[in-house]
Amino acid sequence: MGKRLPLVLLLLSLCVFSSCLSLVAMWPPVEYPHNPGSSMLVVEVANKSGQYTSALTNNGYTGWIPWVVDSQGNTVRFRLYDSGMKLDSLYYAENLKSGIYTLKGFIHIYSDMSKTPTLGIFDFNPYGNMPYQNRQEFTLTTPLSIELKEAEIVSFGAYYIKAVWKGGFSSPANDRWMINPETFSVETIPDDRQALEVLRTWSSPDWLSWLRNCSISDRVAQKVSTKEIELIPASVEVAVEKSSTETELDVRDLQTSSLLVIEDFDAGGWHSMAIRSNGSLWAAGNNEKGQLGIRDTSKHFQPIEVLDHVRSVALGQSFTLVLKEGGSLWVTGNNAHGELGDTTLIDQYAFKQTLGNVKAISAGNCHSAAITADGRLWTTGDNRIGQLGDGTLQNRNTFASVADYVAFVDAGGWHTCYITEKGELYACGLNGSGQLGDGTDTYRAQPVKIMDRIVSVACGENHTMICRGDGTLWATGNNEYGQLGDGTTVNRLSPVEIDNEVVSVTAGANFTLYIKSDGSLWGMGYNGNGALGDGTGVMHTAPVRIMEHVVAVKAGFEHSLVRDEEGQLWSFGLNSSGQLGIGSDVYYRDKPTKAFIWESGT
């Protein structure tokens, strides 16, 4: 074992888990109407691979924009709202005047890497006319038009884009982020009203204020002849114009075939949860503290449905946070330290509503974090080592605001990390192993700045993994089992670079898993009970390849869940309470096994 913690930390011995962030915006920051007659357009767009759809990539190097023009030929400016349920990527334009609007296609903007040596994700501006930005135009074979009336909200329908970058992170070429025109196609469902149905469920104050003056219409856009539209040439360096394939799909068939697809999921201490594409939340595993929210304490090896209308989920050691469609936060399970934030210290055995107006959540061992729509970070729960970041060492049983302009948060064992809208990484809490990465082993009750140009962070029990905008992976903190992946078992007080071409990372108690740009899953660290899923049970101090075709991964205390390109879930690791969701009481699995499986139609 590594060096012993001080006596005060032994009081935390029951809290031995780290959970990964579940980050989903619950509604866009819709402006108040400029006048009673202003209107709004929405367009739903997603990437598609087989039957699986995912949010479009929009980062510091590549992004998509709906190509909509008004009756004067002016391009309409849209905002992007990334959602984890029901809608993949919702583009919206508010405060529009009445008139004719036409969807001509989609514009892809990418960066010339030779001109952007320091470009990061937060520098990306898809509407700027910067020298590093190139533009590709992809037109629909038949554009769609609609007459927008006063005080009306109308959708152009749903669109599924298939396209391949020329290189991405895996290529050194300067045009790596250019879309190969031969790979582009788009499936259209112009009469899809799903976006409008979801809009009706939102309940934030800003949205309700908008609806006082606007009505959500059921009308859909209509096809128009391309001869009626005057195409506007690209105004920047590269313009590729290619007709898309337009496939008329039956939306009912699409919804039926995707019912079993997993949209979001998380791994807790000894329980797991997954959200299906219809918004239903399913749970498996330990339930002694009510963390499954089913009003009893029975554990479940076979997943059971526990809630509906869910967008995101975050699991702590023995408690659960759920984000529902309207932005409301619901909680259940252990509440000994106030981690549920419901103003009590009483365990809950059924879901209870707490905070509102929330867009992102994260659960640590015994504390919780949430980001509201205005970018404010709120925390509650165990604070004996300063992990709430409020400058004190006092536990809280209700959410308190601790930071502004926050874009991302992850709650770890006894520490918390968050990223500001400018890409600045801050950390607070326990630091005995260097998990905060500030060059010391001193705990911090007040957040300290660690690094810049950061896009995501994952907090383990006593270590932290960091993804930068250039695709590099960095690690700091406890390394007793090789969980940092630097080939040693030496703790690090400051972040060290581990790998590149990394797109996602998650941290378990004493192990790490991450995904590279080619879809491969890698892991390192503790491997008892199959924690790494490589079939060996052997500890690894350097990353080892585990499986292919992976798009998302979440690590719990000693087990993990993985989503593949088809939207199916796999699990491996400890299964002592049925947390793998495989319907079996086998103690562990050391290789990926299909999980959260239902019969067709259930």
Side-chain angles (χ1 to χ4, degrees):
M1 297 293 291
K3 64 180 181 180
R4 297 181 179 276
L5 296 174
L7 180 61
V8 64
L9 300 185
L10 297 181
L11 296 174
L12 307 176
S13 59
L14 295 178
C15 302
V16 288
F17 162 74
S18 166
S19 177
C20 190
L21 169 76
S22 294
L23 176 61
V24 173
M26 297 317 306
W27 53 72
V30 178
E31 296 180 6
Y32 288 100
H34 290 170
N35 59 70
S38 58
S39 300
M40 179 176 180
L41 282 174
V42 293
V43 185
E44 182 187 356
V45 193
N47 284 319
K48 187 173 184 182
S49 176
Q51 291 297 321
Y52 175 64
T53 64
S54 61
L56 288 177
T57 299
N58 283 272
N59 57 34
Y61 308 103
T62 174
W64 290 90
I65 307 165
W67 193 5
V68 175
V69 297
D70 61 20
S71 55
Q72 285 75 45
N74 300 313
T75 300
V76 176
R77 183 184 177 108
F78 279 82
R79 303 192 198 194
L80 172 62
Y81 152 51
D82 289 320
S83 119
M85 280 299 306
K86 301 285 186 182
L87 309 174
D88 287 298
S89 295
L90 178 65
Y91 291 85
Y92 65 97
E94 74 271 60
N95 286 312
L96 297 178
K97 298 179 180 180
S98 59
I100 302 295
Y101 291 86
T102 301
L103 175 64
K104 296 163 58 175
F106 300 92
I107 297 173
H108 176 244
I109 293 179
Y110 68 95
S111 299
D112 180 344
M113 300 309 294
S114 68
K115 300 177 181 178
T116 58
T118 62
L119 178 68
I121 186 170
F122 296 99
D123 295 325
F124 183 68
N125 176 6
Y127 294 95
N129 187 19
M130 303 300 291
Y132 57 76
Q133 291 182 352
N134 293 329
R135 164 172 161 167
Q136 295 174 281
E137 298 172 355
F138 298 96
T139 60
L140 293 175
T141 303
T142 307
L144 298 176
S145 286
I146 194 165
E147 182 178 0
L148 188 62
K149 300 177 181 179
E150 288 188 353
E152 185 178 48
I153 302 172
V154 177
S155 174
F156 269 109
Y159 303 83
Y160 300 97
I161 289 177
K162 296 181 181 180
V164 177
W165 293 316
K166 196 168 183 179
F169 279 120
S170 62
S171 169
N174 291 326
D175 59 355
R176 68 186 75 171
W177 297 109
M178 177 182 180
I179 293 296
N180 181 350
E182 300 303 320
T183 68
F184 178 85
S185 65
V186 58
E187 295 178 357
T188 69
I189 312 178
D191 61 346
D192 181 82
R193 294 173 171 82
Q194 188 167 328
L196 299 175
E197 292 303 317
V198 172
L199 296 184
R200 290 187 174 94
T201 69
W202 288 344
S203 58
S204 75
D206 285 2
W207 182 249
L208 293 176
S209 176
W210 178 282
L211 290 183
R212 292 191 188 102
N213 293 319
C214 291
S215 61
I216 299 178
S217 173
D218 284 326
R219 295 188 303 109
V220 295
Q222 302 296 320
K223 295 180 181 180
V224 297
S225 170
T226 55
K227 295 180 180 180
E228 299 176 11
I229 306 299
E230 181 181 354
L231 296 181
I232 304 172
S235 59
V236 287
E237 294 179 5
V238 178
V240 179
E241 196 169 296
K242 183 182 186 297
S243 294
S244 65
T245 59
E246 186 173 6
T247 305
E248 300 295 338
L249 299 180
D250 188 326
V251 65
R252 292 170 297 179
D253 293 340
L254 178 64
Q255 291 172 336
T256 300
S257 65
S258 65
L259 272 178
L260 304 185
V261 169
I262 302 300
E263 295 286 354
D264 190 32
F265 60 97
D266 201 11
W270 295 271
H271 69 301
S272 299
M273 291 192 177
I275 305 170
R276 286 166 58 170
S277 56
N278 61 359
S280 59
L281 177 66
W282 295 70
N286 191 27
N287 191 34
E288 64 181 353
K289 290 292 185 178
Q291 55 263 52
L292 300 190
I294 56 176
R295 301 180 184 276
D296 61 35
T297 58
S298 59
K299 71 174 61 172
H300 287 268
F301 290 85
Q302 184 67 32
I304 60 170
E305 185 173 4
V306 297
L307 209 59
D308 57 13
H309 302 295
V310 176
R311 288 189 179 278
S312 180
V313 62
L315 308 186
Q317 181 199 25
S318 54
F319 68 98
T320 299
L321 308 178
V322 168
L323 211 49
K324 299 197 74 173
E325 290 176 355
S328 58
L329 177 61
W330 296 70
V331 298
T332 188
N334 185 38
N335 198 26
H337 305 86
E339 48 265 69
L340 300 187
D342 67 347
T343 74
T344 79
L345 295 176
I346 301 172
D347 296 348
Q348 299 295 327
Y349 296 88
F351 285 100
K352 178 180 181 181
Q353 185 174 351
T354 57
L355 196 63
N357 203 29
V358 178
K359 69 176 183 179
I361 52 176
S362 182
N365 277 9
C366 304
H367 70 292
S368 301
I371 304 174
T372 47
D374 57 3
R376 299 174 70 185
L377 175 63
W378 302 72
T379 57
T380 187
D382 192 350
N383 194 34
R384 287 172 286 178
I385 311 297
Q387 56 264 55
L388 298 189
D390 64 356
T392 78
L393 299 180
Q394 300 297 316
N395 292 358
R396 290 187 176 275
N397 62 7
T398 185
F399 283 95
S401 177
V402 297
D404 295 319
Y405 308 109
V406 176
F408 194 101
V409 65
D410 196 46
W414 300 292
H415 69 296
T416 303
C417 292
Y418 65 86
I419 304 170
T420 70
E421 294 173 355
K422 294 181 179 180
E424 302 165 325
L425 175 64
Y426 284 81
C428 58
L430 183 64
N431 196 28
S433 299
Q435 54 264 55
L436 300 190
D438 66 347
T440 78
D441 58 1
T442 304
Y443 78 86
R444 305 287 185 178
Q446 192 74 36
V448 292
K449 183 178 176 180
I450 308 301
M451 299 174 70
D452 289 304
R453 313 184 79 79
I454 307 304
V455 296
S456 68
V457 61
C459 298
E461 183 177 359
N462 291 301
H463 75 292
T464 302
M465 306 301 297
I466 303 162
C467 283
R468 301 196 74 173
D470 60 1
T472 55
L473 177 66
W474 298 69
T476 189
N478 186 272
N479 199 25
E480 179 181 358
Y481 297 95
Q483 56 262 48
L484 300 189
D486 64 353
T488 77
T489 55
V490 178
N491 292 356
R492 301 290 183 178
L493 301 183
S494 298
V496 293
E497 186 173 352
I498 304 301
D499 205 348
N500 53 33
E501 302 179 12
V502 175
V503 298
S504 179
V505 65
T506 184
N510 296 298
F511 65 97
T512 301
L513 299 168
Y514 64 90
I515 305 170
K516 301 197 70 171
S517 58
D518 62 358
S520 58
L521 178 67
W522 297 71
M524 59 271 195
Y526 178 79
N527 201 15
N529 297 315
L532 295 183
D534 70 340
T536 70
V538 177
M539 180 181 84
H540 294 283
T541 61
V544 293
R545 200 173 187 124
I546 298 168
M547 61 185 294
E548 312 296 327
H549 309 295
V550 174
V551 297
V553 60
K554 299 288 182 67
F557 171 56
E558 203 173 314
H559 75 289
S560 300
L561 302 178
V562 177
R563 185 175 62 188
D564 64 21
E565 293 175 348
E566 299 300 320
Q568 301 302 305
L569 210 57
W570 300 72
S571 64
F572 49 84
L574 186 65
N575 191 43
S576 57
S577 298
Q579 58 263 47
L580 295 188
I582 58 177
S584 168
D585 61 356
V586 62
Y587 192 73
Y588 72 92
R589 294 283 191 184
D590 61 6
K591 290 185 178 180
T593 304
K594 279 195 174 182
F596 283 77
I597 300 174
W598 302 270
E599 296 295 331
S600 179
T602 64

